[in-house]
């Protein structure tokens, strides 16, 4: 099995169990599929067999949600070993994880929890990424999180922090435009500030998803990253602007709640493809 | 020695203690109360882990109703966070938790029903192993003198359930097989759960076969296991019991000399 590099204007969707049969039978017009690493860490059974069949037809992106790179504790070596086995087996085009923590004191919280951005956390995150890249023998794409609180202990902004991590470790970045928009609204900032701070060459993939809207204690908008709705118009706008700034990158539509029929997700991915093609033409003309 | 990380430890402790005030160290751009925002994380943890449990216990959920299950799952989550990010491994402790959960005491069958559902999830994700076919076993079965000392190895997906309650009928009634009103709750029932091809099977077992399989699973040789079964029911049929296992791909090794697989 060789690794197939998808085209620059590649679009994909997150693979959901209920779509697996249709994907195998119908082979939709997508360039890649993304799966959560932790859903494929069982010892055996049909889930791994199905993913093997999909991998025979499509490139894969493997997206981890449990490594706790932002955690204060050392990385879980057993989990890193499981990831290495999975990546060896499925040879994905990309492996990505989050700037977040999810485990503490031996317990897994199943959420992407925030960390302060300062010199101490920067050093720790870089150490963890060095360890991951060394163990896996490949480049990691680190995803910007959506956050709901900020820390008094932060001395750096998120864009600057991510840029520094990429520079120090050589890791790539997965720019989730939904997360960038959510965090900017939730913390009263312009989302462009954090995007403009990122080193263009490091950005290797985009994520797009939908959010839910709530209010904070002062009655201001509080956006919640649910992956349960279509991509919002404001996020599409941010995506198109980012494409003109950074250029096309493989783009993924994520949906983990209220999952619609496969055709709806494919159509949303095709909207992203149109934006990628438009941006490529605009950049060529410019 | 690692420096303690007060921020992360405080954050983690506050996640599962909504009644306690938020620790210091948070800031909001508009000066609003950070606890309203922190509640998003508290909610994510409990709701996402409850959803992970709900996926694996659909009949348990249907029997108690969604609000009861959600309330019970919340209590469980607070006491038993996952130990790894692999959520298909989460829920082993739920059946025992249900047995000790006072509001569920009226539903004596519920812990074993939850064990059956947990066995199904584990069967789905268990290791692959080639099952021995009737053809593979024909030479062994044609050599009856060696049968009594033979030991079997079951497929890694297998779990044997022996219950004082009608858990197999209850589970089947939720799959459209039989009416739930007709289930005699106090009838003892047993089942073998295993993955046969891609499908997880729940095979109802007579008590004698269940005791036979339990003995085999514990490493007892065939002859002795058959005696245990015959003591339970004199009409125990060894051929039928083996045929059931073979038909569903339940045997992965046949050890005529009696040695056990590592």
């Amino acid at each position: 099995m060789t690794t197939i590099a998808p085209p620059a204007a590649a679009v994909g969707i997150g693979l959901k169990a209920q779509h697996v049969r249709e994907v195998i039978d119908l082979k939709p017009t997508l360039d890649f599929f993304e799966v959560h690493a932790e859903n494929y860490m069982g010892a055996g059974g049909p889930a791994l067999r199905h993913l093997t069949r999909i991998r025979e037809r499509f490139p894969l992106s493997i997206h981890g949600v449990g490594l706790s790179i932002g955690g204060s504790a050392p990385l879980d070596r057993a989990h890193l070993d499981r990831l290495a086995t999975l990546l060896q087996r499925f040879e994905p085009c990309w492996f990505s994880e989050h700037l977040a923590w999810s485990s503490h004191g031996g317990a897994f919280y199943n959420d992407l929890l925030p960390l302060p951005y300062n010199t101490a956390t920067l050093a720790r995150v870089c150490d963890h990424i060095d360890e991951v890249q060394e163990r896996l023998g490949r480049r990691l794409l680190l995803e910007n999180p959506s956050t709901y609180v900020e820390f008094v202990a932060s001395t750096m902004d998120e864009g600057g922090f991510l840029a520094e991590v990429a520079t120090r470790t050589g890791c790539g970045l997965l720019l989730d435009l939904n997360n960038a928009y959510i965090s900017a609204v939730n913390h009263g900032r312009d989302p462009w500030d954090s995007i403009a701070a990122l080193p263009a060459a490091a950005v290797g993939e985009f994520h797009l998803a939908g959010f839910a809207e709530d209010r904070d204690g002062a009655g201001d908008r509080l956006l919640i990253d649910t992956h349960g709705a279509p991509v919002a118009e404001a996020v599409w706008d941010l995506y198109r602007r980012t494409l003109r700034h950074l250029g096309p990158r493989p783009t993924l539509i994520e949906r983990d709640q209220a999952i619609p029929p496969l055709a709806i997700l494919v159509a949303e991915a095709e909207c992203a493809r149109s934006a990628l093609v438009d941006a490529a033409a605009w950049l060529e003309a410019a | 020695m690692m420096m303690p990380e007060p921020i992360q430890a405080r954050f983690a402790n506050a996640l599962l203690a909504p009644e306690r005030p938020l620790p210091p160290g948070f800031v909001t751009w508009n000066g609003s109360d950070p606890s309203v925002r922190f509640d998003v994380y508290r909610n994510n943890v409990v709701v996402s882990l409850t959803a992970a449990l709900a996926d694996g216990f659909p009949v348990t959920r249907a029997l108690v109703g969604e609000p009861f299950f959600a309330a019970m799952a919340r209590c469980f989550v607070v006491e038993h966070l996952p130990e790894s990010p692999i959520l298909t491994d989460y829920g082993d402790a739920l059946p025992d938790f249900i047995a000790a959960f006072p509001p569920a005491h009226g539903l004596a069958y519920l812990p074993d029903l939850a064990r059956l559902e947990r066995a199904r999830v584990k069967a789905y994700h268990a290791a692959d192993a080639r099952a021995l076919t009737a053809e593979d076993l024909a030479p062994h079965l044609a050599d009856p003198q060696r049968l009594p000392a033979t030991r079997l190895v079951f497929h890694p997906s297998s779990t044997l359930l022996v219950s004082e309650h009608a858990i197999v009928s209850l589970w089947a009634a939720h799959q459209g097989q039989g009416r739930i009103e007709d289930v005699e709750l106090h009838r003892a029932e047993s089942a073998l759960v295993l993955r046969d091809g891609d499908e997880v099977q729940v095979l109802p077992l007579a008590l004698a076969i269940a005791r036979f399989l339990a003995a085999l699973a514990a490493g007892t040789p065939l002859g002795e296991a058959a005696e245990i079964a015959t003591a339970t029911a004199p009409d125990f049929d060894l051929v039928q019991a083996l045929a059931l296992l073979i038909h569903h791909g339940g045997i992965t090794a046949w050890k005529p000399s009696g040695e056990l697989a590592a």
Side-chain angles (χ1 to χ4, degrees):
Chain A
M1 188 160 67
T2 53
T3 301
I4 313 152
V11 294
I13 63 171
L15 180 69
K16 306 315 293 181
Q18 55 266 60
H19 296 150
V20 163
R21 178 55 52 199
E22 226 179 326
V23 168
I24 290 172
D25 292 345
L26 300 180
K27 207 170 182 289
T29 60
L30 296 167
D31 303 296
F32 70 98
F33 283 91
E34 188 161 288
V35 294
H36 286 183
E38 287 73 10
N39 289 344
Y40 294 91
M41 289 181 171
L48 286 164
R49 274 199 289 284
H50 294 159
L51 191 60
T52 301
R53 292 191 62 189
I54 286 170
R55 177 64 184 87
E56 286 162 2
R57 293 160 176 77
F58 295 95
L60 281 184
S61 165
I62 291 189
H63 190 50
V65 297
L67 203 46
S68 208
I69 282 174
S72 56
L75 291 178
D76 177 347
R77 299 293 304 188
H79 196 60
L80 208 44
D81 289 346
R82 288 191 289 260
L83 277 171
T85 303
L86 191 71
L87 298 185
Q88 216 158 27
R89 175 164 180 178
F90 289 101
E91 297 182 347
C93 289
W94 311 287
F95 170 64
S96 48
E97 252 287 355
H98 299 83
L99 178 60
W101 59 280
S102 49
S103 297
H104 184 84
F108 175 66
Y109 288 87
N110 199 34
D111 196 22
L112 298 165
L113 301 164
L115 55 147
Y117 300 135
N118 55 42
T119 52
T121 58
L122 177 66
R124 197 173 62 213
V125 166
C126 289
D127 284 348
H128 285 171
I129 290 176
D130 286 342
E131 187 181 346
V132 172
Q133 295 190 138
E134 191 173 316
R135 174 67 184 88
L136 300 181
R138 62 182 297 154
R139 191 183 195 209
L140 164 101
L141 299 180
L142 186 67
E143 178 176 339
N144 59 305
S146 42
T147 60
Y148 311 107
V149 294
E150 291 186 301
F151 296 90
V152 175
S154 282
T155 55
M156 303 171 75
D157 59 41
E158 190 175 282
F161 189 92
L162 282 164
E164 193 58 29
V165 170
T167 303
R168 288 194 192 183
T169 66
C171 79
L173 299 173
L174 191 174
L175 175 53
D176 185 315
L177 290 150
N178 187 52
N179 289 351
Y181 182 76
I182 287 172
S183 294
V185 168
N186 288 349
H187 306 307
R189 290 193 298 260
D190 181 343
W192 194 250
D193 293 346
S194 62
I195 293 170
L198 303 179
V203 177
E205 187 188 343
F206 296 128
H207 271 184
L208 297 170
F211 55 75
E213 187 145 356
D214 204 344
R215 296 275 159 185
D216 75 358
D220 284 314
R221 291 174 84 200
L222 181 67
L223 304 186
I224 299 169
D225 184 28
T226 56
H227 295 184
V231 179
E233 204 42 55
V235 174
W236 280 119
D237 287 344
L238 191 61
Y239 174 57
R240 286 187 284 261
R241 185 178 174 192
T242 302
L243 289 179
R244 291 188 173 196
H245 172 66
L246 293 175
R249 299 286 192 283
T251 300
L252 182 91
I253 304 290
E254 283 185 299
R255 187 73 75 88
D256 297 310
Q257 309 281 337
I259 294 161
L262 178 63
I264 303 282
L265 293 177
V266 172
E268 214 174 4
E270 290 300 334
C271 291
R273 193 198 303 281
S274 300
L276 285 162
V277 169
D278 287 352
W282 184 88
L283 286 166
E284 203 163 307
Chain B
M1 197 182 118
M2 288 246 341
M3 285 284 288
E5 180 73 16
I7 289 180
Q8 214 163 85
R10 286 199 310 253
F11 196 111
N13 290 336
L15 282 170
L16 294 177
E19 70 289 349
R20 280 208 299 241
L22 206 59
F26 297 109
V27 61
T28 57
W29 69 283
N30 57 2
S32 68
D33 177 3
S35 69
V36 174
R37 291 156 168 268
F38 194 85
D39 283 347
V40 176
Y41 294 112
R42 285 172 164 152
N43 189 61
N44 283 352
V45 171
V46 171
V47 170
S48 71
L49 290 175
T50 298
L53 290 171
D55 280 350
F57 295 96
V59 177
T60 305
R61 228 165 75 214
L63 284 166
V64 299
E66 298 292 345
F68 186 102
F69 186 86
M72 182 167 73
R74 177 177 286 268
C75 297
F76 176 76
V77 164
V78 171
E79 281 184 34
H80 300 267
L81 282 168
E83 289 166 12
S84 100
I86 307 166
L87 289 181
T88 48
D89 288 347
Y90 187 47
D92 281 351
L94 186 64
D96 284 348
F97 179 86
I98 293 173
F101 188 60
H105 278 173
L107 308 175
Y109 53 83
L110 202 59
D112 280 351
L113 186 106
R115 283 185 187 102
L116 186 156
E117 293 204 282
R118 187 66 200 134
R120 292 189 77 255
V121 174
K122 290 171 92 79
Y124 188 80
H125 296 283
D128 298 302
R130 184 182 170 276
L132 299 180
T133 64
E135 290 71 37
D136 294 328
L137 293 172
H140 295 299
L141 296 171
D143 187 4
Q145 283 176 328
R146 297 186 73 182
L147 282 184
T150 295
R151 290 181 162 93
L152 308 189
V153 178
F154 289 150
H155 193 277
S157 67
S158 315
T159 302
L160 182 67
L161 294 143
V162 178
S163 178
E164 296 299 309
H165 308 282
I167 55 164
V168 186
S169 302
L170 264 181
W171 183 83
H174 283 82
Q175 318 305 314
Q177 299 155 19
R179 289 166 7 121
I180 193 161
E181 308 86 88
D182 296 341
V183 175
E184 296 168 50
L185 290 173
H186 298 299
R187 204 179 68 167
E189 288 187 347
S190 303
L192 178 66
V193 173
L194 87 172
R195 191 176 75 232
D196 180 2
D198 277 1
E199 296 299 319
V200 175
Q201 303 282 346
V202 178
L203 307 173
L205 302 175
L207 184 61
I209 299 186
R211 289 197 173 149
F212 173 66
L213 297 184
L216 290 177
T220 309
L222 263 180
E224 203 181 314
E227 281 169 23
I228 291 168
T230 308
T232 304
D235 62 346
F236 169 73
D237 185 338
L238 176 63
V239 173
Q240 192 190 23
L242 287 175
L244 176 86
L245 268 183
I246 296 165
H247 178 69
H248 289 287
I251 303 171
T252 55
W254 184 276
K255 309 275 182 185
S257 54
E259 85 272 21
L260 265 177

